[in-house]
Amino acid sequence: MNQEMNILKKHLGEVEGVSSFKAKQICSQINDANDFIGALQILDKNLKKIHEHIDQRLSDANLDDMQKRTIDASVSQLIQGCSFMGTALFDNIFKVYMGKKLFEFEIVNPLLVLEKSNYEGVLAYIEDKREEIASLLVDLATAITLDMDFGSALTQNTQTDFKNLFR
């Protein structure tokens, strides 16, 4: 039996077997990437809302202290309520492997920027994180469409005799 396998290997090259473990591993990678993408999309949406609230706070000079505190409370609620599948998204680091490439994203509570800066600094942080998310989503889409090895499912048999196909 080994001799026959060696002959096949000689003519066909090393053939990778598809086991149920590998199929689960690929499925797991896709699910992890989908979860990562979902978390990034939720973060982006929340960051956009937070940006709008803070922008409103800065642009409207007629707001009194109570209205500003109300906006601050809304921003705080958006941050506290931002989660994906029961996991808080702020103050977290997310990692996922697509094939052999690691994708990573870290985000902290944007209001922590107020300790060292002002609301303009918070807006700058939010804009940077949204750009980072957009870039990561493009990189992930590229990795999914170009770098995934779908195995022999996409190979075509060019030796088929199509003349006898419909007889």
Side-chain angles (χ1 to χ4, degrees), residues 29-30 32-37 39-40 92-106 132-148:
Q29 287 176 350
I30 292 171
D32 291 343
N34 285 334
D35 291 348
F36 189 71
I37 291 167
L40 290 177
N92 220 330
I93 300 172
F94 303 93
K95 298 178 184 180
V96 68
Y97 279 95
M98 282 297 300
K100 294 180 182 178
K101 186 171 181 184
L102 173 67
F103 292 91
E104 189 173 12
F105 182 76
E106 180 179 358
E132 188 178 343
I133 289 171
S135 176
L136 266 172
L137 289 172
V138 168
D139 291 347
L140 280 164
T142 302
I144 290 170
T145 56
L146 298 179
D147 295 338
M148 289 277 302

Side-chain angles (χ1 to χ4, degrees), residues 29 34 44 54 60-61 65 75 78 93-94 106 115-116 128 131 137-138 140 145 151 157-158 161 163:
Q29 287 176 350
N34 285 334
D44 186 55
I54 293 174
D60 193 350
D65 286 343
V75 168
L78 283 170
I93 300 172
F94 303 93
E106 180 179 358
E115 293 176 2
K116 297 181 180 178
D128 287 347
E131 287 175 16
L137 289 172
V138 168
L140 280 164
T145 56
N157 181 359
T158 57
D161 181 11
K163 294 177 187 172

Side-chain angles (χ1 to χ4, degrees), residues 35-58:
D35 291 348
F36 189 71
I37 291 167
L40 290 177
Q41 289 173 335
I42 289 171
L43 270 169
D44 186 55
K45 189 176 224 176
N46 273 291
L47 286 170
K48 181 180 179 187
K49 289 178 185 178
I50 293 166
H51 189 283
E52 289 169 354
H53 280 54
I54 293 174
D55 194 42
Q56 176 190 1
R57 186 185 198 283
L58 292 175

Side-chain angles (χ1 to χ4, degrees), residues 14 18 36 43 52 74 81 85 109 115 146 150 153 163 166:
E14 191 70 32
V18 178
F36 189 71
L43 270 169
E52 289 169 354
S74 296
M85 296 175 56
N109 181 334
E115 293 176 2
L146 298 179
F150 293 103
K163 294 177 187 172
F166 297 106

